[in-house]
């Protein structure tokens, strides 16, 4: 039977959970004394735990051996995606977290219909990533980065930088040729807004440059994908084959 998973910021022999987390476990999940759980710290570590005390609104766990999670890919994928309409960015975070993405960067590009990043949105996205990690069995919670200007991405370090562009002749498989799936590889992938990338955006990514931090443009097949579909399709194509 699958064990309930609980996020705690620090793994130590005994952990008292917050009133809200305790309430959820006691009143919603109906956990009892002695029941087994899995706790994780959001940084890749986890431990089996046992409910050791139930005191009013609080609940204590006794932790067993702390170990590294074995569900993460050797390829560390960060998705950078232009701001999207409605709640589509949150949907990408949920699905991308399930697929194994380790970070999400909101990007302001020239043709974005959404031009502002409202206060409090970053914290909401972090909560969404945490809940998605708990649900899918990961012990690592993806990083949610502050808003970046598209031109700033050229300065971010990565072993491989890819940008989805429907008119590129380079395929994803061609761009990944030569990389071993069991070797650590930091990949940064960028996808555009509903209106696509402007010529100025593409110029800022230095696609034709030999600079070490420049981007490679890749196509994702002959069909044009929606702005919210492209990042998930890209993450799936990169991360899922490693589990097949």
């Amino acid at each position: 039977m699958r064990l309930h998973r609980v996020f705690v910021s620090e793994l130590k022999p005994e952990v008292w959970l917050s009133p809200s987390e305790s309430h959820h476990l006691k009143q919603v999940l109906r956990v009892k004394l002695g029941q087994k759980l899995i706790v994780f710290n959001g940084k890749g570590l986890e431990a089996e735990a046992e409910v050791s005390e139930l005191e009013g609104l609080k609940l204590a766990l006794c932790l067993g051996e702390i170990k590294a999670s074995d569900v993460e890919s050797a390829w560390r994928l960060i998705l950078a995606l232009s701001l999207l309409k409605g709640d589509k960015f949150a949907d990408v975070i949920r699905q991308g977290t399930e697929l194994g993405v380790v970070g999400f960067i909101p990007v302001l590009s020239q043709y974005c219909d959404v031009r502002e990043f409202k206060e409090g949105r970053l914290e909401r996205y972090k909560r969404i990533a945490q809940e998605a990690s708990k649900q899918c069995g990961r012990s690592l919670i993806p990083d949610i980065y502050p808003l970046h200007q598209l031109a700033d991405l050229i300065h971010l370090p990565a072993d491989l930088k890819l940008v989805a562009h429907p008119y590129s002749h380079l395929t994803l498989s061609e761009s990944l040729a030569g990389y071993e799936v069991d070797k650590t590889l930091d990949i940064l992938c960028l996808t555009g807004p509903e209106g696509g990338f402007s010529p100025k955006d593409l110029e800022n990514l230095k696609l034709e440059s030999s600079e070490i931090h420049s981007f490679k443009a890749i196509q994702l097949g002959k069909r044009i994908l929606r702005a919210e579909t492209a990042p998930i399709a890209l993450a799936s194509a990169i991360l899922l084959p490693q589990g097949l």
Side-chain angles (χ1 to χ4, degrees):
M1 183 177 67
R2 182 179 179 183
L3 300 179
H4 297 306
R5 298 179 63 83
V6 181
F7 167 72
V8 295
S9 58
E10 183 181 0
L11 299 180
K12 49 189 179 180
E14 185 180 58
V15 174
W16 282 92
L17 301 182
S18 67
S20 60
E21 188 72 73
S22 298
H23 178 271
H24 179 72
L25 288 173
K26 292 167 64 177
Q27 303 300 322
V28 179
L29 300 180
R30 304 293 183 183
V31 300
K32 306 296 183 184
L33 277 173
Q35 186 166 336
K36 302 290 186 181
L37 305 167
I38 298 292
V39 296
F40 67 100
N41 69 348
K43 299 176 182 178
L45 297 178
E46 63 183 26
E48 188 172 293
E50 182 179 299
V51 179
S52 57
E53 293 189 51
L54 292 171
E55 181 182 302
L57 296 177
K58 289 190 175 182
L59 181 150
L61 301 176
C62 180
L63 272 62
E65 179 186 1
I66 298 171
K67 57 185 181 181
S69 170
D70 61 358
V71 305
E72 298 299 325
S73 167
W75 288 6
R76 295 173 46 81
L77 173 62
I78 293 178
L79 283 181
L81 55 152
S82 299
L83 296 181
L84 304 175
K85 296 177 184 177
D87 212 27
K88 295 174 183 177
F89 201 104
D91 293 336
V92 172
I93 290 175
R94 290 188 187 94
Q95 296 171 51
T97 298
E98 293 175 26
L99 291 169
V101 175
V102 301
F104 299 88
I105 304 176
V107 175
L108 185 61
S109 54
Q110 188 170 358
Y111 290 165
C112 282
D113 291 322
V114 179
R115 305 301 301 177
E116 60 179 354
F117 199 67
K118 294 181 180 178
E119 185 177 351
R121 185 169 291 184
L122 203 62
E123 290 305 313
R124 176 172 177 264
Y125 288 162
K126 289 179 180 179
R127 291 194 298 271
I128 290 171
Q130 178 179 315
E131 287 303 313
S133 292
K134 181 190 297 185
Q135 178 273 325
C136 73
R138 295 181 69 183
S139 293
L140 186 147
I141 299 173
D143 292 317
I144 309 296
Y145 294 84
L147 180 66
H148 281 55
Q149 299 291 327
L150 183 137
D152 296 335
L153 299 180
I154 196 68
H155 303 296
L156 299 182
D159 298 315
L160 180 63
K161 289 183 175 181
L162 304 174
V163 54
H165 191 296
Y167 305 115
S168 171
H169 296 295
L170 182 68
T171 66
L172 177 61
S173 60
E174 289 169 341
S175 70
L176 296 176
Y179 293 106
E180 300 179 44
V181 297
D182 60 342
K183 303 296 184 182
T184 301
L185 182 67
D186 290 321
I187 308 173
L188 175 61
C189 290
L190 170 64
T191 60
E194 288 84 354
F197 291 117
S198 71
K200 182 62 176 177
D201 289 334
L202 297 177
E203 179 183 335
N204 284 331
L205 297 175
K206 301 184 184 299
L207 300 182
E208 305 302 325
S209 169
S210 59
E211 290 187 25
I212 189 169
H213 292 314
S214 62
F215 279 76
K216 291 182 179 179
I218 58 167
Q219 49 114 327
L220 297 175
K222 297 182 179 180
R223 294 174 295 279
I224 303 297
L225 302 182
R226 294 176 66 90
E228 67 272 25
T229 305
I232 297 306
L234 195 50
S236 300
I238 292 172
L239 296 173
L240 286 186
Q242 299 178 52
L244 299 179

